[in-house]
Amino acid sequence: MSESAFRRMSDLPSTHLLGGGTAMCAGCGGLQAVQQIYDVLGAKTVFVNAAGCMTLLSIYPFTPFRGSFLYTAMASAPAGAQGVRDALDLLLRKQRMPAEEDLRVVVLTGDGAAYGMGLSATSGAIDRGLDFLYVCYDNEGYGNTGQQTSPATPHAARTATDAAGYAGTKKDLFAIWVANRPEYAATVIGAEPLDLARKLEKARDLRGPRLVLALAPCPTGWGFDPRETAEIGRLAVRTGIWPLKEFVDGRIVHTRVRRPRLAVEEYLRPQERFAHLFEPVRQQAELDAIQARVDAYWAEVEQEERG
Ligand SMILES: Cc1ncc(C[n+]2csc(CCOP(=O)(O)OP(=O)(O)O)c2C)c(N)n1
Ligand code: SF4
Ligand SMILES: [Mg+2]
């Protein structure tokens, strides 16, 4: 891996961290993933960002990024990426910029934009074969505005808009991307850094539409101690709630398969957003239904693996 393009937060003066007055939360799992992703991508990157928590990383003139950062409207980041890519291609074609100064175009958004508001612009960008990487940090809600329900919110999670728990189920963004036949798509998590780095290196070196979808444990929105971010992330993988996989060369491969899997309860119990499933009365039927959905997913995977 090349020299870190994103300096360790602890190396930076606090003004760089706070974006001129607005702070990010301690233990942010999205930031953990984005830092690792930037380590692989390097400074020759333009981030095209839609409003969300990561926007706070770049409030002029303070930023930990060494490359470029463009802020767009929430639904428009992939369209912004098209404009940036076109401008770079024009400069290259007219020989007004040497090839070695070319930049990678990376969309960086939360789940609210990736699963919802920006999905139409994403679909158009994939259809046009845009050469871009879409990085989504998925904290399963509209985090920046107080954790309202988003299309990525998991079933039964309490949010600012679903006080009794979300009745719907989490949308499958990975499957939506795969249905669009992109060049590459992968799920990652900051708590599995080697798996993340390997996938990012692959995504970095391919061309065309690519997705990297990072589950982003969010102490503030999910309700757990910021010291537990990595452990919550590991539990998401060990319970099978967050399958680590990639779509490459036309097929899906699971990159970390845990056998035996832990019960999903191990992941749910430490999070305040699921506390009503355990107290004052244990919601056994709801817990069984969540477990059954995860088991059904993995049963299908195992059946496919057996051929
Ligand atoms: C069209 C539009 N609607 C609403 C907002 C207000 N807004 C700013 S950030 C945000 C939350 C975005 O959620 P997500 O994409 O999941 O990112 P997160 O905040 O969780 O990092 C919202 C609703 C906006 N900027 N633009
Ligand atoms: S609300 Fe969640 S995703 Fe946003 S900065 Fe805080 S911990 Fe990170
Ligand atoms: Mg979000």
Side-chain angles (χ1 to χ4, degrees):
M1 225 179 285
S2 59
E3 186 206 348
S4 173
F6 186 109
R7 281 178 284 179
R8 298 286 149 193
M9 285 309 198
S10 54
D11 295 343
L12 294 170
S14 59
T15 42
H16 283 73
L17 299 183
L18 301 177
T22 12
M24 295 189 67
C25 314
C28 174
L31 192 55
Q32 182 191 35
V34 169
Q35 184 167 328
Q36 292 175 30
I37 288 166
Y38 201 30
D39 270 353
V40 177
L41 294 178
K44 281 187 165 179
T45 303
V46 186
F47 278 108
V48 184
N49 172 247
C53 291
M54 296 303 150
T55 307
L56 300 180
L57 285 174
S58 196
I59 298 180
Y60 184 81
F62 302 110
T63 177
F65 292 106
R66 293 180 183 179
S68 302
F69 195 96
L70 174 69
Y71 175 62
T72 66
M74 239 185 115
S76 310
Q82 178 83 57
V84 172
R85 187 62 262 160
D86 287 352
L88 289 166
D89 287 344
L90 212 59
L91 289 172
L92 288 169
R93 200 157 59 240
K94 293 189 168 184
Q95 297 184 334
R96 286 170 55 194
M97 185 179 79
E100 60 273 19
E101 286 183 20
D102 193 15
L103 301 170
R104 276 185 201 96
V105 180
V106 178
V107 166
L108 173 67
T109 80
D111 48 288
Y115 286 70
M117 277 189 238
L119 201 46
S120 166
T122 305
S123 173
I126 299 173
D127 291 348
R128 293 189 301 273
L130 177 63
D131 180 17
F132 79 127
L133 170 62
Y134 197 130
V135 172
C136 169
Y137 60 96
D138 178 1
N139 62 3
E140 304 190 319
Y142 294 115
N144 187 240
T145 43
Q147 198 69 7
Q148 294 83 14
T149 297
S150 87
T153 300
H155 180 69
R158 275 199 306 226
T159 68
T161 41
D162 279 294
Y166 178 47
T169 49
K170 185 179 177 75
K171 190 189 276 187
D172 189 347
L173 186 66
F174 180 84
I176 291 171
W177 266 75
V178 167
N180 281 276
R181 316 308 288 174
E183 204 51 40
Y184 185 74
T187 59
V188 300
I189 192 159
E192 295 278 359
L194 292 180
D195 182 74
L196 183 151
R198 197 184 57 74
K199 287 169 175 166
L200 252 295
E201 282 168 358
K202 206 177 278 185
R204 177 195 61 195
D205 297 339
L206 288 167
R207 291 288 165 269
R210 291 151 284 154
L211 170 73
V212 169
L213 178 57
L215 185 68
C218 167
T220 310
W222 298 7
F224 62 84
D225 191 303
R227 284 174 297 193
E228 300 299 321
T229 299
E231 183 55 17
I232 296 285
R234 280 191 287 269
L235 285 169
V237 176
R238 286 178 189 166
T239 56
I241 286 248
W242 188 248
L244 292 174
K245 55 190 171 182
E246 61 186 353
F247 173 78
V248 64
D249 297 331
R251 56 188 283 266
I252 297 171
V253 177
H254 285 77
T255 55
R256 282 269 194 283
V257 181
R258 299 286 177 177
R259 289 193 184 98
R261 289 186 309 279
L262 297 179
V264 289
E265 191 176 332
E266 302 292 318
Y267 170 76
L268 303 174
R269 209 181 321 102
Q271 301 179 47
E272 183 59 32
R273 64 182 175 154
F274 296 114
H276 59 293
L277 297 180
F278 301 95
E279 287 172 356
V281 178
R282 189 179 166 88
Q283 304 295 318
Q284 193 60 50
E286 194 70 289
L287 290 167
D288 287 347
I290 296 170
Q291 182 69 63
R293 261 195 297 277
V294 173
D295 289 346
Y297 174 88
W298 286 102
E300 203 172 308
V301 170
E302 280 155 19
Q303 198 173 346
E304 273 167 23
E305 278 176 1
R306 280 196 298 271

